[in-house]
Amino acid sequence: MGDRTHAHTGAAGRAATADRPSSVRNVVLVGHSGSGKTTLVEALAQTAGAVNRAGRVEDGATVSDYDEIEHRQQRSVQLSLVPVEWGGYRINLLDTPGYADFVGELRAGLRAADAALFVVSAAQEADAVAGTTRAVWEECAAVGMPRAIVVTHLDTARTSFDEMTRICGEIFGGDDPDAVLPLYLPVHGPEGADGHAPLTGLTGLLTERVFDYSSGERRENPPREDRRTALREARDRLIEGIIAESEDETLMDRYLGGAEVEVGTLVDDLERAVARGTFHPVLAAAPAAAGARQGIGTVELLDLVTRGFPTPLERPLPGVTPLHGASLPELSCDPDGPLVAEVVKTASDPYVGRVSLVRVFSGTLRSDETVHVFGRGLTDHGRESRPFHEAEVRVGALSSPFGKQQRPLTACIAGDLACVAKLGSAETGDTLSGTDRPLLMAPWAAPDPLLPLAVEAHSKADEDKLSQGLSRLVAEDPTMRLEQNQDTHQVVLWCLGEAHQDVALDRLRNRYGVQVDAVPHKVSLRETFAAPSTGRGRHVKQSGGHGQYAICEIDVEPLPAGSGIEFVDKVVGGAVPRQFVPSVEKGVRAQAARGVAAGHPLVDVRVTLRDGKSHSVDSSDAAFQTAGALALREAAAETRIQLLEPVAEIQVLVPDDYVGPVMSDLSGRRGRVVGTEQSGPGRTLVRAEVPELEIGRYAVDLRSLSHGAGRFDRAYARHEAMPPQLAERLGERRENNPNDA
């Protein structure tokens, strides 16, 4: 960094093996879908000598995107690790999906990394950058994670590095836009026939030297005279921004007094400010042209990563708690300390089975040793999404992943990442620790999946494999939640969006060999009596041999919401023998569970058994159960049955600019806004109650409405009466299609 010369020691096809934490840099790439993260990883790998030629996303030839789904969709859908070597350092490049549906993979990448590169496209609008990336920037800021910004797609027409830098300063700089400044200015060649001047190099602001890539090699030249004025203005602003973050309080006075500050001093202060997360440099990058060995800006970016980003030694460990009452040791990123590691990603390989990507935070993970595995899954709101589990597991083969390739390792030290094959039933988010001192790491926040996908096995042969396939999906991806709905009898896979659903279905079919059908998701409706009614159940059969005889008369009256089913016995004189009263109640409750009008469970009524008849020989438990059910059905036929729909309490967090459209949209969904409140600068929390029938696709609709900047959570509130006209439409639809709810 700082335009210094270097020697790169990468070798094509070989990744470095870290021997100490100080030689490791863990960097996650963050950015909007299409911003160029995967292409940038390819360019960095080529410059570092890890690959001989950079692959193209369009050709399905990149190291990061190796899954068949990614090839078909031409976008990343999962976290991928590409380690490279530069200047004697191992750089673990964590490529994350940019599409919002795969934010779980992004969160895993943030957990595994110590610094972040925010990749923005110069061809993007400001709204796109703000809507999809700002929330992640704020998450990183909250924990002090160092960040830098890389501007891509400067080789396309009608793009401006200066304009994108200004936008980044406004969006990411907050109250201090001078904390987001460029280290280099792009150099463009002559304009072509289309009026676009291609990117040919960069000018270093601190050393005022041009790094020219136009020949296919990086060459150093002096700047053109006509560029010196613009260069001097940008350089002065950068120096002032660096000095403002300097620990030397006298530096600003010296600079303002006209003293020349040495470049070496500026570079040292810059590196410290970047590592502390208080200054965020902006760089430009472009993939290598055909035949070129290095992409534009890749050398500068690799230097920034190795010299400006922190080592694992400089980053605090996530919270760790002891298990079983043991004392907690003092932990640090020490290869000789107690083992604490975490599964940040789980995948299934058709040849070796389950493969776990593990970040080691303390100690050293070695193959063939036994470790303690402890796991729990939590959502964004603290609700348990899967049961606690623990086991002692022998570590299988260790390897260093390079895309889909696995290169054998004997050990993985603190601060580094490795893949572990066949780590028992370990899931994403599980903690690995020593068997003599079991520990648990605090889980990272995972968004709550709020888009339902109801699935059915396509054939009888698929039914047995469906459960196992769904369980594997959920174990791999903590942003999926599996539900067996007891009311609708549906198997529901909750996802983050439609693209997330598509990937889930694709993996079930192609990875696990389960043919499934997506069916309409049913909402758990209820029925209740709108007015009191009476019913008589008569079950009398005499067809030779032992007969059946049972008659009962009941009164039914509605109760307040939440009362359930009450059964009252008011029979006098033994009209219904004591031993058969429970039989009547059993029949009534069974019929209530099946429903009395549209097949939804009956709730909030009091059923009073007031009379009946029996036979000394032919009456039986089964006969009175049938009579009780018949009586309830007859009572329902004599009055109006009210449909009840579930209502959800939702909280929608959106930028202030979208509050009006969100509230209007909620009103159109029969929602009731119950309040709003400020939730941080520029954001508003809207609280509302909305029928669940109206928010089945709200996860998708809100994203479109707020340009990706809004999120919401939901919780069941109660069931309440459905408007009669809507109930009639549902009844008509049910008659036309009995399988539709």
Side-chain angles (χ1 to χ4, degrees):
M1 194 168 75
D3 316 335
R4 295 175 181 173
T5 58
H6 63 87
H8 88 82
T9 55
R14 177 173 61 84
T17 300
D19 57 358
R20 61 191 187 281
S22 59
S23 67
V24 179
R25 301 292 185 275
N26 296 310
V27 183
V28 61
L29 282 82
V30 178
H32 185 273
S33 181
S35 60
K37 298 182 298 301
T38 300
T39 301
L40 179 60
V41 168
E42 289 291 307
L44 294 172
Q46 180 181 7
T47 297
V51 296
N52 293 318
R53 183 174 65 87
R56 285 164 34 94
V57 173
E58 296 82 353
D59 301 333
T62 63
V63 174
S64 298
D65 292 348
Y66 53 85
D67 195 293
E68 290 184 4
I69 304 175
E70 295 173 315
H71 293 169
R72 290 194 296 271
Q73 298 186 2
Q74 293 189 2
R75 65 179 175 191
S76 302
V77 303
Q78 62 184 0
L79 176 69
S80 180
L81 174 61
V82 179
V84 301
E85 184 180 353
W86 187 255
Y89 296 93
R90 174 182 168 92
I91 304 175
N92 289 318
L93 297 171
L94 293 150
D95 187 17
T96 65
Y99 200 64
D101 282 16
F102 309 109
V103 68
E105 301 286 323
L106 168 60
R107 294 282 178 86
L110 290 172
R111 179 68 157 208
D114 301 308
L117 283 176
F118 280 73
V119 183
V120 297
S121 169
Q124 285 179 317
E125 299 291 335
D127 285 347
V129 176
T132 59
T133 311
R134 184 173 182 175
V136 182
W137 182 276
E138 292 171 352
E139 286 184 32
C140 294
V143 297
M145 177 177 280
R147 287 144 284 156
I149 301 164
V150 184
V151 180
T152 60
H153 295 162
L154 287 166
D155 49 354
T156 57
R158 294 181 295 280
T159 56
S160 169
F161 177 80
D162 292 341
E163 176 63 14
M164 185 51 64
T165 300
R166 181 191 65 77
I167 291 172
C168 289
E170 292 179 354
I171 293 173
F172 302 136
D175 297 333
D176 186 13
D178 285 340
V180 180
L181 294 172
L183 296 185
Y184 303 87
L185 294 182
V187 177
H188 294 274
E191 289 188 0
D194 59 356
H196 173 60
L199 185 68
T200 60
L202 302 172
T203 301
L205 292 180
L206 293 182
T207 58
E208 300 181 277
R209 302 294 292 174
V210 174
F211 301 96
D212 185 11
Y213 288 80
S214 59
S215 65
E217 297 289 333
R218 183 177 184 265
R219 302 182 186 279
E220 186 175 337
N221 299 311
R224 299 195 325 238
E225 288 299 323
D226 61 344
R227 291 285 296 163
R228 287 192 179 275
T229 300
L231 177 63
R232 175 61 61 178
E233 292 176 356
R235 185 177 191 271
D236 289 345
R237 189 180 178 194
L238 172 63
I239 291 174
E240 291 176 8
I242 294 173
I243 291 176
E245 300 295 335
S246 175
E247 296 176 352
D248 184 352
E249 297 179 357
T250 67
L251 202 58
M252 181 64 77
D253 294 335
R254 289 162 46 198
Y255 176 73
L256 294 177
E260 185 69 25
V261 181
E262 298 82 0
V263 171
T265 300
L266 292 172
V267 170
D268 291 340
D269 282 339
L270 171 64
E271 291 174 353
R272 282 192 290 268
V274 171
R276 290 197 308 266
T278 58
F279 186 82
H280 316 292
V282 184
L283 296 90
R293 186 175 64 84
Q294 297 169 335
I296 297 174
T298 53
V299 170
E300 291 76 14
L301 188 53
L302 289 167
D303 284 345
L304 169 68
V305 168
T306 56
R307 302 176 58 183
F309 280 172
T311 72
L313 295 168
E314 299 172 80
R315 297 292 297 157
L317 270 65
V320 180
T321 56
L323 295 179
H324 316 311
S327 60
L328 180 64
E330 183 176 350
L331 297 177
S332 62
C333 185
D334 180 3
D336 297 323
L339 175 65
V340 182
E342 187 172 36
V343 179
V344 295
K345 177 179 172 58
T346 309
S348 295
D349 185 277
Y351 302 105
V352 300
R354 182 176 294 186
V355 177
S356 304
L357 177 62
V358 174
R359 162 76 191 257
V360 180
F361 289 93
S362 171
T364 299
L365 183 66
R366 296 179 174 85
S367 58
D368 294 328
E369 72 175 343
T370 301
V371 299
H372 186 275
V373 178
F374 192 94
R376 63 180 179 187
L378 297 179
T379 69
D380 233 352
H381 316 295
R383 296 194 300 269
E384 186 179 333
S385 61
R386 58 185 70 171
F388 286 79
H389 54 275
E390 62 179 314
E392 291 191 356
V393 179
R394 187 174 182 181
V395 176
L398 289 179
S399 59
S400 174
F402 187 78
K404 67 178 179 180
Q405 302 175 27
Q406 299 291 335
R407 297 164 180 178
L409 290 176
T410 56
C412 179
I413 65 168
D416 206 357
L417 294 106
C419 278
V420 184
K422 299 179 180 178
L423 194 58
S425 58
E427 301 176 354
T428 301
D430 286 4
T431 303
L432 311 183
S433 57
T435 55
D436 59 333
R437 192 176 287 169
L439 300 169
L440 174 65
M441 301 196 76
W444 69 79
D448 199 8
L450 296 170
L451 187 66
L453 173 66
V455 295
E456 293 178 352
H458 183 70
S459 66
K460 190 72 175 177
D462 295 308
E463 289 182 0
D464 295 336
K465 296 186 291 184
L466 178 60
S467 177
Q468 184 180 24
L470 289 171
S471 297
R472 288 182 177 178
L473 274 182
V474 173
E476 293 176 11
D477 188 348
T479 61
M480 288 184 183
R481 176 165 53 88
L482 186 61
E483 175 193 8
Q484 302 273 353
N485 193 298
Q486 299 302 314
D487 292 333
T488 63
H489 307 291
Q490 285 190 314
V491 176
V492 183
L493 188 64
W494 290 84
C495 302
L496 294 175
E498 292 177 312
H500 203 203
Q501 291 180 342
D502 292 342
V503 168
L505 291 173
D506 190 292
R507 285 179 173 160
L508 283 172
R509 292 164 182 159
N510 297 315
R511 180 178 291 181
Y512 303 122
V514 186
Q515 294 300 315
V516 296
D517 298 320
V519 297
H521 175 245
K522 299 177 182 179
V523 171
S524 301
L525 302 178
R526 302 281 190 271
E527 300 172 356
T528 193
F529 277 55
S533 183
T534 62
R536 185 172 188 267
R538 184 176 185 275
H539 183 60
V540 178
K541 289 188 177 181
Q542 295 290 343
S543 57
H546 191 68
Q548 299 181 51
Y549 190 97
I551 297 175
C552 64
E553 296 179 6
I554 63 172
D555 297 328
V556 184
E557 56 186 313
L559 292 177
S563 300
I565 302 289
E566 284 188 21
F567 185 84
V568 180
D569 172 21
K570 286 192 176 180
V571 175
V572 296
V576 176
R578 293 292 89 197
Q579 69 268 27
F580 294 133
V581 171
S583 303
V584 176
E585 180 179 0
K586 188 175 181 180
V588 166
R589 291 189 180 277
Q591 184 62 54
R594 295 191 294 269
V596 293
H600 306 295
L602 179 71
V603 296
D604 303 336
V605 294
R606 178 185 291 121
V607 179
T608 302
L609 175 62
R610 56 178 170 78
D611 202 359
K613 292 182 181 180
S614 65
H615 189 278
S616 59
V617 175
D618 293 337
S619 291
S620 65
D621 170 67
F624 271 101
Q625 284 191 46
T626 302
L630 291 171
L632 187 61
R633 291 210 300 265
E634 182 178 292
E638 297 299 321
T639 190
R640 184 171 68 87
I641 299 301
Q642 174 73 61
L643 269 186
L644 304 176
E645 60 179 337
V647 175
E649 293 178 347
I650 71 170
Q651 298 186 72
V652 188
L653 183 64
V654 289
D656 293 343
D657 293 343
Y658 298 109
V659 172
V662 164
M663 293 176 67
S664 177
D665 177 71
L666 291 174
S667 297
R669 297 173 186 270
R670 298 189 288 126
R672 296 182 295 274
V673 176
V674 297
T676 62
E677 58 188 71
Q678 285 301 120
S679 181
R683 288 182 174 267
T684 298
L685 185 70
V686 180
R687 291 180 287 108
E689 295 181 346
V690 190
E692 289 190 9
L693 280 170
E694 305 290 345
I695 56 173
R697 288 179 47 82
Y698 193 59
V700 176
D701 298 337
L702 176 63
R703 186 179 301 162
S704 175
L705 184 67
S706 64
H707 292 191
R711 64 181 181 87
F712 81 106
D713 58 72
R714 59 187 281 181
Y716 169 77
R718 62 187 175 278
H719 274 73
E720 64 180 34
M722 180 185 293
Q725 63 273 19
L726 179 58
E728 290 175 7
R729 288 202 301 269
L730 284 179
E732 293 171 0
R733 193 168 71 185
R734 180 181 174 85
E735 290 177 3
N736 296 330
N737 184 4
N739 293 322
D740 200 357

